[in-house]
Amino acid sequence: MVLLRLLDGIDVFKLLEQFMLAESNWQRLPQSERLGMMPVMADKPILVTAAIIQKGSKFLVAQRRSDSRVEANKWEFPGGKVEFLEHPEEGLAREIREELDLKVRVGNLLTISSHIYQTGTSPLHIVLLAYLCQWES
């Protein structure tokens, strides 16, 4: 079972502000410095989407499962991997429907982020597309 929580709009925008600040600080580093900080990876980046789902003046967040490979039990905006030949917006709506049994209208792309997670011996490179969504049912 996925644990869900509705946050007030101000809390969500604080989270997004922190997220975008960390990303912009990373991008301000000289490329040579960024390359020196990145591990060598054999795999290609994984494209994922996240839904910032609005219902009235509140926004939905979900808690990761305790057996998750990456960042177990942390709160996040729900979403998932984009499958081969799938449009990101369609994949996001599918993931939300499958995982949360919710229908959302996917709106504008808010931000794009690239992050490398350390998972045991091999790093995982995630490219995330975050969309504003409206809760429909």
Side-chain angles (χ1 to χ4, degrees):
M1 171 180 258
V2 176
L3 187 58
L4 302 174
R5 182 181 290 170
L6 285 170
L7 296 178
D8 289 320
I10 192 72
D11 297 326
V12 169
F13 290 112
K14 284 180 186 175
L15 286 173
L16 282 171
E17 185 178 84
Q18 291 170 359
F19 173 75
M20 291 192 286
L21 178 62
E23 187 68 19
S24 68
N25 287 340
W26 169 258
Q27 290 173 351
R28 279 191 226 131
L29 290 173
Q31 185 173 8
S32 59
E33 200 171 321
R34 280 188 276 161
L35 290 174
M37 295 169 73
M38 290 191 292
V40 176
M41 292 178 286
D43 292 329
K44 295 178 180 168
I46 299 168
L47 182 62
V48 299
T49 55
I52 294 122
I53 302 171
Q54 186 172 8
K55 183 176 185 180
S57 64
K58 299 202 179 268
F59 293 83
L60 186 76
V61 292
Q63 189 173 34
R64 283 183 160 277
R65 294 168 39 141
S66 60
D67 61 352
S68 177
R69 281 188 336 159
V70 179
E71 300 190 349
N73 296 318
K74 290 217 176 174
W75 289 93
E76 66 179 359
F77 296 110
K81 291 181 187 175
V82 177
E83 295 181 2
F84 185 66
L85 298 178
E86 184 175 49
H87 198 275
E89 288 91 341
E90 293 168 356
L92 181 56
R94 174 189 51 76
E95 285 283 348
I96 299 303
R97 189 174 55 254
E98 289 175 359
E99 293 182 13
L100 306 177
D101 196 27
L102 295 176
K103 184 177 179 187
V104 297
R105 182 172 34 87
V106 179
N108 292 333
L109 177 66
L110 291 179
T111 190
I112 300 170
S113 175
S114 176
H115 187 75
I116 298 168
Y117 292 94
Q118 294 302 325
T119 59
T121 57
S122 64
L124 187 62
H125 185 185
I126 300 291
V127 175
L128 178 131
L129 308 175
Y131 291 89
L132 183 60
C133 299
Q134 293 297 316
W135 182 320
E136 291 191 337
S137 63

